[in-house]
């Protein structure tokens, strides 16, 4: 069934786990991540990047999600990942998605606050939650973002802006980066503690691919309740395709449905590992009742 993103994150926080928020690329990966959540009785957030929204189209993406998520016996939300473009935000709000990440980290602080407040007003009028990012999380993901930290603020500023704008979830810089790590990151779980001394808003961890189970547990213990996974799914997807195509070349058997099955199995296994690491296994029923 389809549920609200912030309620899933709040249930996770109350019960000491994090909801996996997984970027999907198409119907194949969408169905595979939902199958993983169903298999482990886990709540799930399905995310889509602006690049994927533009390639698939808002209407088809919305319909695919509804057809896959509504009959599923676990709570699932649909979230637009990093989006600096107001027109795309408006399109998915109108389509009734669960939430959007308005990424204002390329704006100066005053502009970021003003535009975030406008997005929150528009989203809340339609019952859509808003994740807010005003500091940039380093790394480029699907053409969005920067490899250098452009804006960084004290936690007090992040919380004050979130409260003034009415934001539902916070995406602060926590030492992680998008994409594959080129060097060992300096993780900042203590920054989550400091934020949560000032607010009860759910805190989101970006750049989860490449961290280990102990890193995830440190962030969850600090209070992170939504963890984004994108690169991990892409790697599982592409490596499964590569392995399949090598086999096809060697055997001379070219059968797309069997490649789709291999990709699906690889994505499912990858996401199952994250559901287990995030502690969300078995929480589907409780998170649904929390509605
Ligand atoms: Zn991100």
């Amino acid at each position: 069934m389809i549920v609200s993103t912030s309620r899933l994150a709040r249930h996770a926080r109350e019960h000491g786990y994090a909801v996996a928020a997984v970027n999907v690329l198409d119907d194949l990966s969408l169905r595979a991540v939902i199958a993983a959540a169903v298999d482990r009785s886990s709540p799930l957030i399905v995310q889509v990047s602006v690049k994927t929204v533009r390639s698939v189209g808002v209407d088809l993406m919305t319909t695919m999600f509804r057809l896959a998520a509504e009959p599923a016996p676990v709570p699932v939300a649909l979230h637009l990942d990093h989006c600096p473009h107001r027109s795309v935000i408006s399109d998915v709000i109108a389509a009734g998605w669960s939430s959007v990440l308005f990424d204002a980290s390329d704006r100066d602080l005053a502009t970021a606050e003003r535009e975030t407040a406008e997005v929150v007003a528009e989203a809340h009028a339609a019952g859509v939650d808003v994740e807010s990012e005003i500091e940039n999380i380093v790394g480029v993901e699907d053409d969005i973002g920067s490899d250098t930290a452009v804006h960084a603020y004290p936690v007090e500023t992040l919380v004050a802006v979130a409260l003034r704008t009415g934001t539902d979830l916070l995406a602060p810089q926590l030492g992680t980066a998008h994409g594959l790590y080129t060097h060992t990151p300096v993780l900042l779980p203590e920054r989550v503690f400091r934020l949560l001394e000032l607010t009860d808003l759910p805190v989101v961890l970006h750049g989860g691919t490449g961290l280990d189970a102990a890193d995830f547990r440190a962030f969850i213990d600090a209070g992170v309740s939504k963890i984004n996974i994108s690169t991990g799914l892409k790697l599982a997807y592409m490596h499964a395709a590569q392995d399949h195509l090598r086999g096809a070349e060697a055997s001379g058997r070219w059968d797309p449905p069997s490649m789709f099955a291999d990709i699906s199995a690889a994505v499912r296994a990858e996401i199952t590992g994250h559901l287990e690491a995030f502690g969300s296994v078995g929480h589907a029923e409780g998170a649904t009742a929390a509605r």
Side-chain angles (χ1 to χ4, degrees), residues 21 28 44 47-48 74 84 105 112 137 150 155 157 159 164 174 188 199 201 204 213 270:
L28 185 60
L44 174 73
Q47 299 192 153
V48 186
V74 297
S105 62
I137 291 154
V150 182
V155 289
T157 304
V159 171
R164 286 198 296 264
L174 297 173
L188 304 170
T199 178
L201 287 175
V204 181
E270 171 74 16

Side-chain angles (χ1 to χ4, degrees), residues 82 141 178 206 228:
H82 295 274
E141 182 175 45
H178 291 129
H206 286 248
N228 292 5

Side-chain angles (χ1 to χ4, degrees), residues 181-204:
Y181 287 98
T182 48
H183 57 273
T184 306
V186 178
L187 303 178
L188 304 170
E190 66 279 3
R191 204 157 186 247
V192 182
F193 275 119
R194 290 171 51 222
L195 281 163
L196 292 175
E197 282 172 358
L198 303 172
T199 178
D200 71 343
L201 287 175
V203 175
V204 181

Side-chain angles (χ1 to χ4, degrees), residues 25-259:
L25 304 154
D26 55 13
D27 67 304
L28 185 60
S29 47
L30 168 68
R31 287 181 289 145
V33 300
I34 290 178
V38 170
D39 184 54
R40 288 295 191 273
S41 295
S42 171
L44 174 73
I45 297 168
V46 168
Q47 299 192 153
V48 186
S49 73
V50 173
K51 188 177 184 178
T52 297
V53 172
R54 284 183 165 154
S55 110
V56 176
V58 172
D59 290 346
L60 181 55
M61 194 68 232
T62 306
T63 300
M64 286 193 316
F65 174 78
R66 287 212 177 111
L67 292 176
E70 259 164 11
V74 297
V76 190
L78 179 59
H79 176 77
L80 175 66
D81 200 12
H82 295 274
C83 184
H85 311 296
R86 298 282 299 273
S87 63
V88 180
I89 297 256
S90 294
D91 288 347
V92 310
I93 289 173
W97 290 30
S98 314
S99 52
V100 295
L101 166 46
F102 177 50
D103 186 339
S105 62
D106 59 344
R107 277 86 155 168
D108 63 62
L109 186 58
T111 309
E113 175 167 347
R114 178 176 53 76
E115 290 201 35
T116 302
E118 290 168 5
V119 167
V120 169
E122 182 185 349
H124 284 184
V128 175
D129 298 327
V130 177
E131 180 176 333
S132 164
E133 177 180 338
I134 59 173
E135 298 181 311
N136 67 307
I137 291 154
V138 296
V140 178
E141 182 175 45
D142 282 356
D143 309 328
I144 305 266
S146 161
D147 282 323
T148 51
V150 182
H151 294 120
Y153 306 111
V155 289
E156 291 77 9
T157 304
L158 295 182
V159 171
V161 170
L163 295 179
R164 286 198 296 264
T165 56
T167 295
D168 302 287
L169 303 101
L170 281 177
Q173 174 55 258
L174 297 173
T176 53
H178 291 129
L180 287 173
Y181 287 98
T182 48
H183 57 273
T184 306
V186 178
L187 303 178
L188 304 170
E190 66 279 3
R191 204 157 186 247
V192 182
F193 275 119
R194 290 171 51 222
L195 281 163
L196 292 175
E197 282 172 358
L198 303 172
T199 178
D200 71 343
L201 287 175
V203 175
V204 181
L205 179 69
H206 286 248
T209 299
L211 305 191
D212 64 20
D215 295 330
F216 288 130
R217 187 30 71 187
F219 276 114
I220 295 165
D221 288 346
V224 159
S225 51
K226 171 177 179 276
I227 300 180
N228 292 5
I229 296 294
S230 176
T231 305
L233 185 148
K234 288 179 185 168
L235 293 175
Y237 191 118
M238 297 303 284
H239 287 154
Q242 185 178 42
D243 289 349
H244 183 91
L245 290 169
R246 282 189 180 130
E249 195 158 45
S251 67
R253 289 181 59 239
W254 298 92
D255 179 42
S258 61
M259 181 175 76

